[in-house]
Amino acid sequence: MRRAIELAALAEKEGEVPVGAVLVKQGQIIAEGWNQSVGSHDATAHAEIQVLRKAGTVLENYRLTGTTLYVTLEPCPMCAGALLHSRVQRIVYGASDLKTGAAGTVMNLFEGQGVYHYAVIEKGLLESDCRQQLQQFFKRRRKEIKASKKHHGG
């Protein structure tokens, strides 16, 4: 998770929401990713999706069985669906997402009768570090927006 936090900081330097993710198999990092939606003009370029794309190429298989994803923020519905389809065995996240969390906070796409793949979900690893990183980012962003409006007479 510490590596995912480092990747989230990289995302923030690029002007992205600071979310980072790391996929591990048998103790080895298979793929890393961070949010890149803003820079790539791609709503699907979340950290988890970046990791799934890279891992599929590395393993030459979209089915990522026996893997663990570490991500700083609870997956959204899009990412949760992709994680299910890719058969990631375990998802460990830091901060809960109170707006779009799809691993138990707002909804849980990982449980229910219709789900054909059951992933193990673990929440709260380095939660305060992950949450603080996100909160500081949005606090700065709000301050920048306020200053910009004031500067431009808005």
Side-chain angles (χ1 to χ4, degrees):
M1 186 63 81
R2 292 200 190 285
R3 179 63 183 148
I5 291 170
E6 290 173 7
L7 295 167
L10 212 161
E12 185 171 358
K13 284 180 186 173
E14 295 178 0
E16 305 281 349
V17 174
V19 177
V22 176
L23 191 74
V24 175
K25 184 169 186 166
Q26 298 174 339
Q28 299 294 314
I29 293 177
I30 302 299
E32 300 179 334
W34 57 91
N35 275 3
Q36 296 180 325
S37 294
V38 175
S40 65
H41 312 290
D42 180 357
T44 69
H46 288 191
E48 299 94 324
I49 302 299
Q50 299 298 332
V51 163
L52 294 178
R53 289 174 178 157
K54 291 173 186 173
T57 300
V58 169
L59 298 175
E60 297 181 341
N61 194 340
Y62 78 92
R63 290 187 175 185
L64 306 174
T65 56
T67 60
T68 298
L69 178 79
Y70 295 90
V71 62
T72 58
L73 182 64
E74 179 180 2
C76 72
M78 173 186 69
C79 293
L83 290 164
L84 282 168
H85 282 289
S86 67
R87 314 295 200 274
V88 170
Q89 181 180 336
R90 186 170 154 240
I91 294 110
V92 181
Y93 69 87
S96 296
D97 185 338
L98 302 177
K99 293 182 180 177
T100 64
T105 300
V106 176
M107 65 189 82
N108 193 342
L109 295 181
F110 295 97
E111 56 180 40
Q113 296 291 324
V115 178
Y116 53 87
H117 169 73
Y118 294 88
V120 175
I121 307 298
E122 295 176 30
K123 64 179 185 173
L125 181 61
L126 298 178
E127 180 180 4
S128 61
D129 294 345
C130 295
R131 185 176 46 248
Q132 186 177 27
Q133 187 177 40
L134 285 156
Q135 286 175 339
Q136 287 175 348
F137 169 80
F138 285 113
K139 187 177 182 179
R140 278 192 301 276
R141 181 62 58 97
R142 284 190 295 274
K143 202 180 257 187
E144 289 167 7
I145 290 169
K146 201 174 197 179
S148 175
K149 284 182 180 177
K150 193 181 273 187
H151 183 264
H152 295 298

